[in-house]
Amino acid sequence: MTKKKNDLFILWFSIFIIIVIAGIYMLSTKENPDQDNIDSFASCISDTGAKFYGAFWCSHCEAQKELFGRSKNLPYIECSTADGQGQLDVCKQAGIKGYPTWVFADGQEKSGKLSFKQLSQFTNCELLE
């Protein structure tokens, strides 16, 4: 009986290890472009005239910025006053009502966090993988 329990334990442990290894492999191959490609993508977006309006206190804006890692090329425009209670004139003049808001060169506006795929569609910029 102990031999059977031992064999069963080894079988389940082996299955567990296989699942863990498969999970690690899947996470490591997930779409995760490197920072140089993200910088180029952000530069292209900026070059098209697109603008990303946000506020420092906006969690969705932070999530959008996190997609771009440490890129300095993101065309981000801060809209909030330092106290977080008002909106800066640049955003008032642009008619920004919520955050995040993307405004594209053709005048099209999109609210909310956009994926790289959506940004690519709106700007014709390609993110190399």
Side-chain angles (χ1 to χ4, degrees), residues 3 7 28 30-33 43 48 51 71 74 82-83 95 114 119 123:
K3 172 80 170 129
D7 289 345
S28 68
K30 185 179 172 189
E31 182 183 320
N32 188 14
S43 288
T48 67
K51 294 179 175 124
S71 181
L74 188 61
D83 63 4
L114 300 182
L119 289 167
T123 62

Side-chain angles (χ1 to χ4, degrees), residues 40-52 68 74-75 102-106 108 110 114-127:
S40 295
F41 185 59
S43 288
C44 180
I45 290 171
S46 185
D47 290 346
T48 67
K51 294 179 175 124
F52 163 32
F68 287 88
L74 188 61
W102 283 89
V103 178
F104 300 98
D106 63 1
Q108 196 172 182
K110 296 293 176 185
L114 300 182
S115 68
F116 285 152
K117 182 177 180 180
Q118 290 171 307
L119 289 167
S120 181
Q121 290 170 345
F122 294 124
T123 62
N124 293 318
C125 294
E126 289 187 41
L127 178 63

Side-chain angles (χ1 to χ4, degrees), residues 1-14:
M1 191 83 128
T2 39
K3 172 80 170 129
K4 287 185 180 183
K5 285 184 179 179
N6 192 30
D7 289 345
L8 189 58
F9 172 77
I10 291 171
L11 173 66
W12 282 110
F13 184 74
S14 299

Side-chain angles (χ1 to χ4, degrees), residues 16-17 23 44 46 54-55 59 65-66 70 85 99-100 103 110 112 124 128-129:
F16 173 76
I17 295 298
C44 180
S46 185
S59 62
K65 288 189 258 184
E66 284 176 12
R70 0 175 248 288
Q85 300 300 308
Y99 312 113
V103 178
K110 296 293 176 185
N124 293 318
L128 303 175
E129 297 178 38

